[in-house]
């Protein structure tokens, strides 16, 4: 397996207004993410998890160091699921998903409609294909957002606390949905980065957990999770990993 | 099936799943809404009639005199001709304002520099009474069509600029970020996001703009035109015909109601069909 995303000597600081000392988020962070793996970034809030994800997404630029994708400066097909669904309110569920096909430098696939239909079926929204986001529940909207991310057949899938704005029961269903979509991807699985503060969620979904902590942020631990997919959310082994992560953070 | 046919059937299916209009309850709701409307109208008319009977003054004509005058101007077709002339001038000025408000409003929304540049002008425009635009345009452009069109455009422009600017700002940065992460084509972002957004939010601004347009056009027609509703109001005034002034006001009020209910409301409803609040 080759490293898909390589981060070397990453530096990032935010200068607060008023000339106070800049807050150093990262100072020489290194990270390698293997192709086809889903890695989780966990850690306390404010440790730079989301900043790191935004840097990978290209929404922000590093002050030092580099992020490379298969040795290239830019990824080919990157998709993201945000904490909020971020759907366009005046487009239907179907149209929101199809929007992802309109990527710079690409043409929508010839069977775009069929692809959207298949995705809607997979996320359980066949009945709601023509519904506008404001008429969907929070969980349904996030299902559309997940379908939109998978629509581009992503090489890299970034997940920024995708279930934390949902009630626990809905979040649980969507975690299992994500697990099954990941498992049944045709062709090579995407490389995934999941930011979460829910360590059980990380243990359920990730192949490897990076525990981020401190200022500037560094990896307090990197754990490989060797339990085969799909995993059972009630598996006691997941709770053991949960304890281990807490331990790495100095909490247990 | 060809690609076009496929797209058509798919579109038809999408449309089919949109909530259908049910006429029965809609009509009942409309009737329910009409009751207070009719009540206010009847009360107003009754109070006027009582006042007219009590005062017995030519300055307060009774309802039958007003209605007689109203029927006369309608039957002769004069009311329709004059209202059409006024609407035509208003419409041209209004379209000019809309066309100018888009570039200025968008620039002010995306650039702080542009906002600072246009802000004093917009505030000036909001402050200057329509009367001043009417007087200046009549002095500058005389009786030509340019007077009403430019006066209306100047009167409506500031509020339209603010509407466009606010609607551009209303798009959350979350959505903008999403389009960047998915690297959507510029043309797609324009066509699927910006244009529908601007369309939906400027319709409401346009209604306010249209009522401002009326307040300006009537003044221009009083000072500088030889026809139009404003001119007619002025000539009834110089004849000291109170029933004439009221009859013309009534006729124009009905025309504005027709524009509101037959043009603006349906467009607004269709532009906002994706909003949950539109069905509550």
């Amino acid at each position: 397996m080759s490293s898909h995303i390589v981060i070397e000597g990453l530096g990032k600081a935010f200068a607060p207004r008023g000339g106070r000392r800049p807050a150093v988020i990262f100072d020489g962070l290194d990270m390698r993410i293997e192709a086809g793996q889903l890695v989780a970034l966990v850690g306390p809030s404010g440790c730079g998890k989301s900043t790191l994800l935004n840097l990978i997404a290209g929404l922000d630029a590093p002050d030092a160091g580099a992020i490379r994708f298969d040795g290239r400066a830019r990824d080919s097909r990157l998709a993201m699921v945000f904490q909020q669904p971020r759907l366009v309110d005046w487009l239907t569920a179907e149209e929101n998903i199809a929007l992802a096909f309109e990527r710079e430098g690409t043409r929508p696939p010839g069977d775009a409609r069929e692809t959207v239909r298949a995705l809607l079926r997979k996320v359980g929204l066949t009945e709601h294909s023509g519904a506008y986001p404001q008429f969907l529940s929070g969980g349904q909207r996030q299902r559309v957002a997940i379908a939109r991310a998978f629509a581009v057949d992503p090489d890299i899938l970034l997940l920024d606390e995708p279930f934390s704005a949902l009630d626990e029961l809905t979040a649980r269903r969507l975690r299992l949905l994500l697990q099954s979509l990941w498992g049944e991807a045709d062709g090579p699985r995407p490389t995934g980065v999941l930011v979460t503060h829910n360590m059980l969620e990380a243990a359920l979904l990730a192949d490897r957990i990076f525990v981020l902590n401190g200022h500037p942020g560094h990896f307090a631990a990197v754990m490989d999770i060797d339990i085969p997919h799909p995993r059972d959310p009630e598996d006691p082994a997941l709770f053991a990993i949960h304890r281990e992560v807490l331990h790495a953070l100095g909490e247990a | 099936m060809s690609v076009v046919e496929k797209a058509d059937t798919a579109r038809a299916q999408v449309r089919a799943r949109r909530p259908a209009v049910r006429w029965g309850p809609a009509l009942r709701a409309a009737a329910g809404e009409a009751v207070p409307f009719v009540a206010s109208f009847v009360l107003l008319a009754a109070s006027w009639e009582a006042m007219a009977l009590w005062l017995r003054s030519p300055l307060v004509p009774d309802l039958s005199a007003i209605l007689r005058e109203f029927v006369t101007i309608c039957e002769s077709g004069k009311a329709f001709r004059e209202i059409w002339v006024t609407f035509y001038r208003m419409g041209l000025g209004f379209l000019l304002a809309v066309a100018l408000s888009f570039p200025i409003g968008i620039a002010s929304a995306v650039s702080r520099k542009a906002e600072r540049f246009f802000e004093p002008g917009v505030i000036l425009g909001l402050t200057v009474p329509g009367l001043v635009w009417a007087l200046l345009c009549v002095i500058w452009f005389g009786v030509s069509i340019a007077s009403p069109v430019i006066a209306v455009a100047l009167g409506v422009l500031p509020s339209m600029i603010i509407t466009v600017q606010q609607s551009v700002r209303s798009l959350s940065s979350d959505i903008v970020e999403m389009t960047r992460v998915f690297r959507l084509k510029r043309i797609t972002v324009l066509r699927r996001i910006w244009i529908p957004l601007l369309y939906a939010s400027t319709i409401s601004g346009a209604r306010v703009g249209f009522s401002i347009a009326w307040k300006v056009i009537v003044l221009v027609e009083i000072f500088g035109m030889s026809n139009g509703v404003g001119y007619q109001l002025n000539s009834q005034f110089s004849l000291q015909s109170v029933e004439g002034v009221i009859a013309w006001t009534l006729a124009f009020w009905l025309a504005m109601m027709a524009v509101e209910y037959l043009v603006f409301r349906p467009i607004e409803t269709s532009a906002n069909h994706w909003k949950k609040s539109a069905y509550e």
Side-chain angles (χ1 to χ4, degrees):
Chain A
M1 243 193 281
S2 61
S3 295
H4 189 178
I5 306 174
V6 177
I7 297 172
E8 277 171 343
L10 186 73
K12 183 73 195 170
F14 288 109
R17 279 169 191 234
R20 279 177 292 134
R21 264 185 351 122
V24 179
I25 311 293
F26 300 119
D27 186 11
L29 187 82
D30 296 318
M31 185 184 189
R32 300 176 82 85
I33 301 171
E34 307 307 320
Q37 275 208 333
L38 174 56
V39 306
L41 278 173
V42 301
S45 52
C47 71
K49 302 184 299 270
S50 289
T51 306
L52 184 53
L53 204 67
N54 284 344
L55 288 164
I56 297 173
L59 286 173
D60 205 347
D63 297 330
I67 301 175
R68 267 186 284 274
F69 304 90
D70 275 335
R72 289 193 301 271
R74 291 205 88 173
D75 60 285
S76 47
R77 286 193 310 279
L78 184 143
M80 192 160 172
V81 179
F82 305 90
Q83 185 174 3
Q84 302 298 332
R86 303 201 188 183
L87 303 178
V88 180
D89 274 339
W90 44 93
L91 299 180
T92 62
E94 209 169 32
E95 290 165 339
N96 263 290
I97 297 169
L99 198 64
F101 295 141
E102 301 287 328
R103 199 180 182 78
E104 201 73 71
T106 63
R107 280 159 181 278
D111 56 349
R113 295 251 156 213
E114 291 313 310
T115 311
V116 171
R117 290 273 156 71
L119 280 164
L120 278 166
R121 201 164 47 242
K122 281 183 194 165
V123 300
L125 287 177
T126 309
E127 301 288 293
H128 298 88
S129 62
Y132 291 94
Q134 291 193 358
F135 295 85
L136 297 172
S137 69
Q140 289 170 331
R141 279 179 223 168
Q142 200 62 327
R143 282 170 193 264
V144 176
I146 291 171
R148 176 178 64 190
F150 277 94
V152 296
D153 188 19
D155 286 339
I156 296 173
L157 182 54
L158 306 179
L159 303 142
D160 189 5
E161 305 202 14
F163 311 119
S164 65
L166 303 169
D167 63 275
E168 186 43 38
L169 204 62
T170 308
R172 197 185 155 93
R173 289 191 189 128
L174 288 198
R175 279 182 209 118
L176 297 177
L177 170 72
L178 183 72
Q179 200 177 20
S180 75
L181 284 173
W182 210 282
E184 66 193 39
D186 351 313
R189 292 186 348 156
T191 303
V193 184
L194 166 72
V195 162
T196 178
H197 53 245
N198 182 332
M199 292 145 203
L200 275 174
E201 180 176 297
L204 174 71
L205 296 169
D207 298 308
R208 179 177 275 182
I209 298 177
F210 288 84
V211 184
L212 193 60
N213 200 8
H215 296 281
H218 63 276
F219 293 122
V222 179
M223 294 169 208
D224 284 311
I225 319 285
D226 291 325
I227 311 164
H229 295 281
R231 295 172 190 158
D232 173 10
E234 305 305 326
D235 187 345
L238 301 187
F239 293 90
I241 294 162
H242 178 232
R243 260 194 307 280
E244 231 180 295
V245 174
L246 282 176
H247 189 75
L249 287 166
E251 298 288 325
Chain B
M1 235 191 316
S2 76
V3 179
V4 177
E5 277 169 342
K6 247 190 219 166
D8 277 346
T9 37
R11 217 172 290 135
Q13 279 162 354
V14 170
R15 213 174 292 134
R17 278 183 212 125
R18 279 177 191 162
V21 179
R22 287 177 32 232
W23 286 105
L27 277 178
R28 226 171 299 143
E33 274 170 31
V35 170
F37 177 80
V38 171
S40 87
F41 196 73
V42 167
L43 186 69
L44 193 71
S47 319
W48 179 270
E49 188 67 8
M51 194 164 67
L53 286 174
W54 182 48
L55 292 173
R56 295 195 167 284
S57 153
L59 298 182
V60 186
D62 62 7
L63 286 179
S64 65
I66 295 170
L67 276 176
R68 217 177 303 123
E69 184 67 24
F70 178 75
V71 170
T72 312
I73 60 172
C74 289
E75 266 181 354
S76 66
K78 198 172 172 192
F80 299 102
R81 277 196 304 277
E82 299 295 283
I83 288 172
W84 165 249
V85 165
T86 299
F87 269 155
Y88 176 70
R89 292 169 178 156
M90 267 168 87
L92 283 183
F94 180 70
L95 285 180
L96 182 63
V98 171
L100 290 172
S101 69
F102 273 77
I104 299 175
I106 292 168
S108 307
V110 297
S111 145
R112 283 291 298 165
K113 273 187 189 145
E115 191 191 7
R116 289 213 191 93
F117 179 81
F118 288 115
E119 207 170 32
V122 169
I123 293 171
L124 177 79
L126 285 174
T127 323
V128 172
L131 176 66
V132 173
W133 297 133
L135 285 172
L136 286 176
C137 286
V138 170
I139 294 169
W140 288 332
F141 307 108
V143 294
S144 76
I145 183 81
S147 282
V149 171
I150 292 172
V152 165
L154 285 170
V156 175
L157 191 57
S159 76
M160 285 304 292
I161 290 175
I162 289 173
T163 304
V164 171
Q165 186 184 351
Q166 282 174 350
S167 91
V168 171
R169 289 233 175 106
S170 75
L171 187 71
S172 71
S173 55
D174 278 4
I175 296 291
V176 176
E177 231 175 54
M178 183 278 290
T179 66
R180 283 176 57 202
V181 168
F182 282 87
R183 276 203 230 123
L184 302 185
K185 293 171 192 152
R186 275 158 185 262
I187 183 74
T188 304
V189 175
L190 183 72
R191 210 166 50 84
R192 307 292 277 171
I193 296 178
W194 288 113
I195 291 176
L197 172 77
L198 280 171
Y199 175 64
S201 48
T202 47
I203 289 298
S204 317
R207 285 165 64 190
V208 177
F210 210 65
S211 64
I212 298 174
W214 156 245
K215 284 167 188 155
V216 177
I217 193 72
V218 72
L219 293 167
V220 179
E221 287 176 346
I222 285 174
F223 296 128
M225 297 289 125
S226 53
N227 57 2
V229 178
Y231 171 81
Q232 296 300 336
L233 282 171
N234 196 32
S235 63
Q236 297 298 322
F237 166 75
S238 49
L239 294 171
Q240 293 282 297
S241 160
V242 179
E243 58 266 39
V245 171
I246 295 175
W248 276 101
T249 307
L250 209 59
F252 196 78
W253 172 70
L254 288 171
M256 283 295 263
M257 294 275 277
V259 172
E260 168 73 19
Y261 285 100
L262 300 178
V263 180
F264 284 121
R265 288 283 171 94
I267 294 177
E268 194 177 27
T269 307
S270 84
N272 289 301
H273 67 277
W274 49 271
K275 279 186 190 160
K276 202 171 181 187
S277 56
Y279 299 87
E280 277 162 1

